C-alpha cells in the first residue's frame, strides 16, 4: 500500500517500484499502479490457465490464486506467487523449462537439464 | 533523501586481510562513526582481540556461522545498532560494517536485510567489499567455491599484500577475476592513493554500475561459472520483465550469484538500475529522466546457467506477453 495516499496497489516489493513515486501528487501513480497491476494479473492468468489455476487481485494488496475446486491461497508479492502456484499444482515454475507458457506447466519434468550448461569451461 | 543507515559488507577468505583493512578503516574519519559487526569463527580470537580496540563500536555475534542459522542474530544486532544510531548514542553511528567470516557466504546477510521490511526500511546495502590476498587469493578462488562466491557477490575487490615478493600483479588478478567479477572495482590496498575511508565508508556502489567493462565479446566462463551481458531492447515492459525475472530467480536464484542492469521501462521516465543477489532483488534505483543510456543491459554472474538459455527465455516471454502490452497501450 502506498503510505502517502493510503491507496491499495502500490506495494513494497521491488517490482512495485517501476515508477519513481510522486509523493506530492500521487494520483497519477495510483492510476499507473492499477493499470500495471491489472496487466500483470492478466499475464499471470495466461501462465496459469493451462494448469487450471486462476489469479485475481486481492483488494489491490495481494494476489489470490484459486483452483477449479474453489480452493485459494494468497500471495502477497511476486516472490510469494511462484511457491504458491507450486503448492497448488504439480507444476514446477521454470522460465528456462520448455513449458513456461502456453503448453502447461504440469506433467513434464521441468527440471533444469536442457537449457542449462553442464560443468564446463565455456 | 535516503535516511537509511548505509551498510558495507566486508568479506574475503581466511587470512585475506579483512581485519587489517578494517583496522586501517577505523583510523579514518569515516571509520570513527562506523559500527563494526564481526563474527566469531575460526580466526575469531584474533579478530576479537584486535577489534576490541574499537571503543565499544563492536558487536560480537556469539557462536555459529554468519551465513545460515545466524541470520536472525545478525538481524537482531543490526536492529540494535540502528536503534542506537537513531538515538544518537555512541557518538552518532552513521555507518555499519559487517565483517564476515572467511568461509561465510555474504548472500544470506544480504537476504536477511532484503527480505525484512523493517531492515529494508532502515538499512541500505551500500557496498560488498571482498578482500583478496595478492599472493594466494587467485589459487584459493580457484579451489574454494566459498571464495569464488564472495568475489562474485562483491562490487569491490581490495587486493591485499601486493607488496609481497610473490604477489601476483594487479593486471593478472584483474584478468583472472573477470569471469566471476566482471564489473567489480579493483583496488590495491598498498597503493599510495588507495582511499580506505572512501572505499569502505562512503559506499554506494552496490546499486550502480555500467556496461563499460563489458560486452558480448567479454563473456567469460571458468569452471562452470559464467558472467555475461544481455542487451535489452530500447524499452521493456515493466510488468512483463518483473514477472519473468521473479520467476527466473524463484527457479534458479541459487545459481544466479548476481544480476544487475540498467534499463528503460514502460513505467519510468529515466533509466532504472536494478540489482540482486541470488533470490533477493533490491528496490530499483531511478536515474533522472535526462540520464543517457545508449544500450540497456543486464549482467548475470551464474553458476551452471548459460547466457543462451536465459536470453532465449526472456525473448520468448516478452514475445508471448506482447498482446498484453499492446492491449494496455491501446
Amino acid at each position: 500500500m502506498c503510505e502517502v495516499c493510503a491507496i491499495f496497489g502500490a506495494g513494497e516489493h521491488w517490482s512495485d517500484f517501476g515508477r519513481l513515486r510522486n509523493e506530492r501528487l500521487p494520483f497519477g501513480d495510483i492510476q499507473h499502479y492499477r493499470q500495471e497491476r491489472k496487466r500483470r494479473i492478466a499475464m499471470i492468468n495466461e501462465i496459469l490457465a493451462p494448469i487450471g489455476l486462476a489469479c485475481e487481485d486481492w483488494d489491490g494488496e495481494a494476489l489470490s490464486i484459486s483452483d477449479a475446486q474453489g480452493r485459494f491461497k494468497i500471495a502477497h508479492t511476486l516472490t510469494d506467487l511462484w511457491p504458491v502456484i507450486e503448492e497448488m499444482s504439480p507444476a514446477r515454475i521454470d522460465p528456462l523449462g520448455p513449458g513456461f507458457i502456453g503448453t502447461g506447466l504440469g506433467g513434464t519434468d521441468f527440471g533444469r537439464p536442457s537449457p542449462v550448461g553442464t560443468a564446463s569451461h565455456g | 533523501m535516503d535516511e537509511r543507515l548505509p551498510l558495507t559488507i566486508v568479506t574475503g577468505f581466511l587470512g585475506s586481510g579483512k581485519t587489517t583493512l578494517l583496522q586501517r578503516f577505523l583510523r579514518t574519519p569515516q571509520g570513527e562513526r562506523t559500527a563494526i559487526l564481526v563474527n566469531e569463527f575460526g580466526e575469531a580470537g584474533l579478530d576479537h582481540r584486535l577489534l576490541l580496540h574499537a571503543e565499544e563500536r563492536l558487536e560480537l555475534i556469539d557462536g555459529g556461522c554468519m551465513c545460515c542459522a545466524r541470520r536472525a542474530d545478525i538481524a537482531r544486532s543490526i536492529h540494535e545498532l540502528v536503534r542506537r544510531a537513531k538515538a544518537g548514542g555512541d557518538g552518532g553511528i552513521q555507518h555499519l560494517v559487517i565483517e564476515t567470516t572467511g568461509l561465510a557466504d555474504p548472500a544470506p546477510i544480504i537476504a536477511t536485510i532484503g527480505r525484512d521490511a523493517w531492515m529494508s526500511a532502515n538499512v541500505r546495502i551500500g557496498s560488498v567489499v571482498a578482500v583478496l590476498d595478492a599472493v594466494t587469493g587467485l589459487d584459493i578462488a580457484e579451489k574454494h567455491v566459498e571464495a569464488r562466491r564472495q568475489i562474485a557477490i562483491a562490487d569491490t575487490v581490495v587486493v591485499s599484500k601486493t607488496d609481497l615478493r610473490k604477489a601476483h600483479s594487479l593486471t593478472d588478478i584483474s584478468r583472472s577475476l573477470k569471469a566471476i567479477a566482471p564489473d567489480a572495482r579493483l583496488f590495491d590496498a598498498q597503493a599510495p592513493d588507495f582511499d580506505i575511508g572512501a572505499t569502505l565508508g562512503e559506499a554506494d556502489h552496490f546499486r550502480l554500475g555500467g556496461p563499460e567493462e563489458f560486452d558480448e565479446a567479454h563473456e567469460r566462463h571458468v569452471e562452470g561459472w559464467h558472467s555475461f551481458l544481455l542487451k535489452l531492447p530500447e524499452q521493456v515492459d515493466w510488468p512483463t520483465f518483473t514477472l519473468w525475472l521473479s520467476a527466473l530467480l524463484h527457479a534458479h536464484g541459487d545459481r544466479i550469484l548476481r544480476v544487475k542492469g540498467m534499463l528503460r521501462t514502460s513505467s519510468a521516465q529515466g533509466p532504472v538500475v536494478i540489482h540482486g543477489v541470488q533470490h533477493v532483488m533490491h528496490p530499483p534505483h531511478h536515474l533522472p529522466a535526462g540520464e543517457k543510456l545508449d544500450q540497456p543491459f543486464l549482467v548475470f554472474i551464474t553458476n551452471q546457467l548459460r547466457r543462451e538459455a536465459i536470453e532465449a527465455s526472456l525473448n520468448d516471454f516478452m514475445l508471448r506477453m506482447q498482446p498484453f502490452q499492446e492491449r494496455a497501450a491501446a
Side-chain angles (χ1 to χ4, degrees):
Chain A
M1 187 174 73
C2 172
E3 291 177 7
V4 177
C5 53
I7 294 280
F8 294 131
E12 297 301 326
H13 189 252
W14 69 272
S15 61
D16 295 322
F17 286 87
R19 174 171 167 140
L20 192 60
R21 294 176 191 174
N22 185 342
E23 296 186 358
R24 295 184 61 198
L25 300 167
F27 302 110
D29 295 346
I30 294 166
Q31 285 187 319
H32 166 79
Y33 279 111
R34 283 181 175 168
Q35 286 166 0
E36 286 212 333
R37 193 172 180 83
K38 196 174 170 184
R39 285 204 293 130
R40 182 180 288 150
I41 288 171
M43 291 181 209
I44 293 169
N45 278 318
E46 175 79 1
I47 297 170
L48 295 185
I51 54 170
L53 297 179
C55 177
E56 287 181 53
D57 200 348
W58 183 263
D59 278 349
E61 183 75 346
L63 301 169
S64 166
I65 311 301
S66 59
D67 64 14
Q69 284 75 45
R71 291 172 294 202
F72 73 95
K73 289 195 173 194
I74 299 296
H76 292 283
T77 70
L78 272 190
T79 301
D80 306 315
L81 171 69
W82 309 113
V84 165
I85 293 169
E86 290 180 342
E87 281 175 35
M88 295 182 69
S89 75
R92 182 168 183 277
I93 295 293
D94 184 358
L96 303 186
F100 187 48
I101 312 170
T103 58
L105 294 159
T108 308
D109 177 13
F110 290 103
R112 301 169 168 176
S114 57
V116 178
T118 53
S120 71
H121 302 270
Chain B
M1 183 184 166
D2 195 339
E3 293 181 348
R4 293 175 296 167
L5 209 54
L7 167 69
T8 301
I9 298 173
V10 177
T11 186
F13 206 69
L14 299 167
S16 58
K18 298 184 292 298
T19 305
T20 306
L21 199 71
L22 277 174
Q23 286 172 324
R24 281 177 65 183
F25 174 64
L26 288 174
R27 292 194 290 268
T28 68
Q30 292 94 334
E32 282 180 13
R33 291 190 167 185
T34 297
I36 313 284
L37 189 61
V38 298
N39 185 226
E40 222 177 5
F41 183 76
E43 309 168 279
L46 180 63
D47 287 356
H48 184 191
R49 193 168 58 249
L50 293 175
L51 291 174
L52 263 181
H53 299 295
E55 296 176 5
E56 297 182 2
R57 293 191 202 107
L58 298 180
E59 289 284 332
L60 287 175
I61 297 174
D62 297 327
C65 175
M66 239 185 202
C67 66
C68 41
R70 302 290 313 283
R71 294 189 295 194
D73 296 84
I74 290 169
R76 271 197 294 275
S77 298
I78 291 180
H79 187 280
E80 171 62 17
L81 290 171
V82 169
R83 192 190 61 75
R84 278 200 229 168
K86 287 191 168 184
D90 298 328
I93 297 172
Q94 294 184 348
H95 187 207
L96 302 180
V97 170
I98 293 180
E99 179 192 1
T100 75
T101 68
L103 295 173
D105 179 353
I109 299 171
I110 296 166
T112 299
I113 295 161
R115 287 177 173 159
D116 183 308
W118 186 90
M119 298 267 271
S120 298
N122 287 282
V123 176
R124 67 179 166 88
I125 298 171
S127 186
V128 178
V129 179
V131 185
L132 183 86
D133 182 327
V135 179
T136 61
L138 291 180
D139 194 34
I140 285 170
E142 193 179 322
K143 290 177 181 165
H144 297 275
V145 68
E146 296 92 345
R148 282 204 296 278
R149 292 177 63 88
Q150 291 167 347
I151 295 165
I153 290 170
D155 55 83
T156 302
V157 176
V158 176
V159 184
S160 64
K161 308 177 190 179
T162 51
D163 53 342
L164 297 184
R165 191 172 58 83
K166 290 185 177 178
H168 290 278
S169 74
L170 214 59
T171 310
D172 287 347
I173 290 171
S174 173
R175 194 179 301 127
S176 299
L177 291 186
K178 284 296 179 189
I180 48 177
D183 58 345
R185 306 180 310 151
L186 198 65
F187 293 112
D188 175 357
Q190 306 299 328
D193 58 349
F194 173 59
D195 188 344
I196 178 71
T199 306
L200 265 61
E202 296 172 0
D204 200 9
H205 312 294
F206 195 56
R207 314 176 189 176
L208 299 170
E212 302 83 27
E213 293 282 318
F214 221 104
D215 58 49
E216 281 181 311
H218 289 129
E219 184 171 341
R220 295 170 176 93
H221 317 275
V222 59
E223 298 291 335
W225 290 57
H226 306 268
S227 62
F228 49 86
L229 177 140
L230 295 188
K231 290 180 180 174
L232 295 176
E234 191 175 339
Q235 185 184 80
V236 294
D237 180 68
W238 182 251
T240 311
F241 175 75
T242 52
L243 206 56
W244 171 79
L245 186 56
S246 70
L248 182 71
L249 295 178
H250 162 76
H252 298 286
D254 57 337
R255 293 187 292 169
I256 297 176
L257 273 295
R258 283 196 76 177
V259 56
K260 60 189 290 186
M262 200 180 292
L263 45 154
R264 287 196 184 277
T265 76
S266 55
S267 301
Q269 290 186 320
V272 177
V273 179
I274 62 161
H275 73 107
V277 172
Q278 302 218 285
H279 292 101
V280 177
M281 289 297 295
H282 294 270
H285 180 61
H286 290 266
L287 299 180
E291 192 78 25
K292 196 178 173 197
L293 175 60
D294 293 331
Q295 175 59 63
F297 68 97
L298 288 177
V299 170
F300 283 90
I301 302 172
T302 72
N303 186 12
Q304 308 285 347
L305 285 178
R306 289 183 181 279
R307 181 178 69 85
E308 294 80 3
I310 293 178
E311 188 171 34
S313 169
L314 175 61
N315 290 339
D316 185 48
F317 194 74
M318 290 283 186
L319 194 65
R320 285 174 183 253
M321 290 302 172
Q322 212 166 35
F324 298 94
Q325 297 161 20
E326 289 169 354
R327 202 177 301 166

